[in-house]
Amino acid sequence: MVAVVGRTNAGKSTLVNRLVGEKVSIVSGMEQTTRNRIRAILTEPRGQLVFLDTPGAHKAENELGTLMNRMARGAGRDADALLVVFDGAAPVRMEDEGWMARAAFSDIPVLFALNKADAPRFDPARFREAWARIRAEKRPDAPEPAWHALSAETGQGCDALLGALFALANPCEALPFPEDIVSDFPRKLAIADIIREKLIARLFQEVPHQLGVRVERIDETPDGAWEIQATILVNRASQKGMVIGTKGRTLRAMRRAAEPEIAEAYGLSACKILPFVRVEPKWFRNHFILRELGYKE
Ligand SMILES: Nc1nc2c(ncn2[C@@H]2O[C@H](COP(=O)(O)OP(=O)(O)OP(=O)(O)O)[C@@H](O)[C@H]2O)c(=O)[nH]1
Ligand SMILES: [Mg+2]
């Protein structure tokens, strides 16, 4: 079990999808995309690796943010290895240093993934310097983590990382998960996330952060198609119009992107999303809703 941690936008979800070879976790250029802990399972002749994708650490602004940070911090608890992902093309941020400090005291093996090696500004030196400084400050005898420069986007360096992870894996009698599953994330939550991903890509400023998507029901038609009723929660009345778009364009674009992806993921003949946008002021402070969306146990 590998806990995948790091600051928001480092590319954790992109990397997890790349490592298991399928899209399990949604990705976007917006910060704080992932809001749950999502398990992604890789089964191959060498064995089984289970990755735990987590929300990126950030400065929390509300209850949702606090819950997300807690999920990230607790992720290492049941894991056998800690994979810290850094955006190697960006400057070292406070949250990166925070994970380095955590890594110095880790009692499980630590791997550092320097992601975005394909980007022109990729510069591993500043991360190595930051680590050397933090290690000297916090715990000079901390073991040196294995460093992996890689690109989750192109796949460069990812096989080497998998090799290192399999080399660390513990032998066990039986595989922890069935061979044919790639995630045990509940279906309704996974579909809600795909809808959210498509909306995030089409919305601006604070709107993506204040979106919540809840799949209410999935009806199967006799010909093997699904009808998905989804409620899209927004914080303010003005955001409702933006989510719908002029003459419903934004919702239509979301459906055009999400429906084929869901149909493909679940092997359906077709899929139809019936979206309903609802204004629910400060839903991200409402513990009942947070629980319904799977953000709170
Ligand atoms: N150039 C480049 N971009 C990448 C790479 N990996 C991820 N990205 C981009 O970085 C952005 C963030 O990726 P995510 O995978 O959503 O990042 P995350 O760490 O899961 O972010 P949170 O869920 O918010 O914590 C997206 O725009 C990705 O396309 C990479 O190897 N190279
Ligand atoms: Mg993510």
Side-chain angles (χ1 to χ4, degrees), residues 164 196 241-242:
R196 191 163 59 87
M242 293 185 236

Side-chain angles (χ1 to χ4, degrees), residues 33-55:
T33 300
T34 306
R35 289 177 177 169
N36 305 80
R37 272 188 224 165
I38 299 173
R39 258 196 294 257
I41 301 147
L42 171 68
T43 309
E44 54 147 277
R46 283 178 286 185
Q48 195 166 64
L49 294 176
V50 181
F51 297 95
L52 191 62
D53 188 15
T54 61

Side-chain angles (χ1 to χ4, degrees), residues 8 31-32 56-71 73 94-95 284-285:
T8 180
E31 303 212 326
Q32 297 148 48
H58 64 284
K59 199 165 150 283
E61 279 172 8
N62 53 42
E63 277 78 352
L64 172 59
T66 309
L67 287 169
M68 284 161 63
N69 278 340
R70 201 175 298 158
M71 281 187 243
R73 273 198 304 271
M94 205 174 66
E95 294 90 341
F284 37 75
R285 294 184 193 278

Side-chain angles (χ1 to χ4, degrees), residues 9 11-14 25-27 33-35 53-56:
N9 229 28
K12 299 176 293 300
S13 302
T14 311
S25 201
I26 64 162
V27 166
T33 300
T34 306
R35 289 177 177 169
D53 188 15
T54 61

Side-chain angles (χ1 to χ4, degrees), residues 211 230-234 239-241 243-244 251 275-279:
L211 282 181
T231 305
I232 299 163
L233 301 173
V234 293
Q239 296 170 340
K240 185 171 172 170
V243 170
I244 295 171
L251 282 183
F276 178 77
V277 187
R278 202 169 101 197
V279 183

Side-chain angles (χ1 to χ4, degrees), residues 19-233:
L19 294 173
V20 302
E22 262 185 68
K23 178 164 161 190
V24 173
S25 201
I26 64 162
V27 166
S28 90
M30 172 190 91
E31 303 212 326
Q32 297 148 48
T33 300
T34 306
R35 289 177 177 169
N36 305 80
R37 272 188 224 165
I38 299 173
R39 258 196 294 257
I41 301 147
L42 171 68
T43 309
E44 54 147 277
R46 283 178 286 185
Q48 195 166 64
L49 294 176
V50 181
F51 297 95
L52 191 62
D53 188 15
T54 61
H58 64 284
K59 199 165 150 283
E61 279 172 8
N62 53 42
E63 277 78 352
L64 172 59
T66 309
L67 287 169
M68 284 161 63
N69 278 340
R70 201 175 298 158
M71 281 187 243
R73 273 198 304 271
R77 227 168 278 144
D78 311 312
D80 306 299
L82 190 67
L83 177 60
V84 189
V85 184
F86 301 106
D87 179 345
V92 180
R93 285 211 226 155
M94 205 174 66
E95 294 90 341
D96 295 316
E97 296 185 340
W99 278 111
M100 287 178 180
R102 264 284 296 272
F105 294 102
S106 174
D107 44 20
I108 51 176
V110 178
L111 299 97
F112 282 170
L114 284 167
N115 189 27
K116 311 199 186 182
D118 60 294
R121 297 218 179 120
F122 183 69
D123 176 14
R126 50 197 173 195
F127 286 87
R128 289 184 179 270
E129 281 158 22
W131 163 248
R133 178 170 43 77
I134 286 165
R135 182 183 187 221
E137 255 168 45
K138 302 282 179 190
R139 193 178 156 218
D141 61 341
E144 182 65 21
W147 291 77
H148 287 265
L150 52 85
S151 166
E153 197 84 36
T154 67
Q156 164 199 347
C158 291
D159 284 341
L161 174 65
L162 281 181
L165 290 170
F166 274 116
L168 284 173
N170 305 315
C172 55
E173 293 283 311
L175 295 179
F177 287 92
E179 281 181 40
D180 54 349
I181 69 164
V182 73
S183 178
D184 63 345
F185 195 44
R187 191 171 78 179
K188 279 186 175 174
L189 297 185
I191 292 172
D193 252 5
I194 294 174
I195 295 173
R196 191 163 59 87
E197 180 187 57
K198 304 313 175 201
L199 288 170
I200 289 173
R202 291 165 177 83
L203 294 163
F204 305 96
Q205 289 163 0
E206 89 294 349
V207 192
H209 293 284
Q210 301 191 342
L211 282 181
V213 179
R214 188 171 59 211
V215 167
E216 309 290 355
R217 47 182 297 172
I218 303 173
D219 293 309
E220 198 167 341
T221 63
D223 57 344
W226 282 1
E227 268 191 14
I228 299 167
Q229 279 185 32
T231 305
I232 299 163
L233 301 173

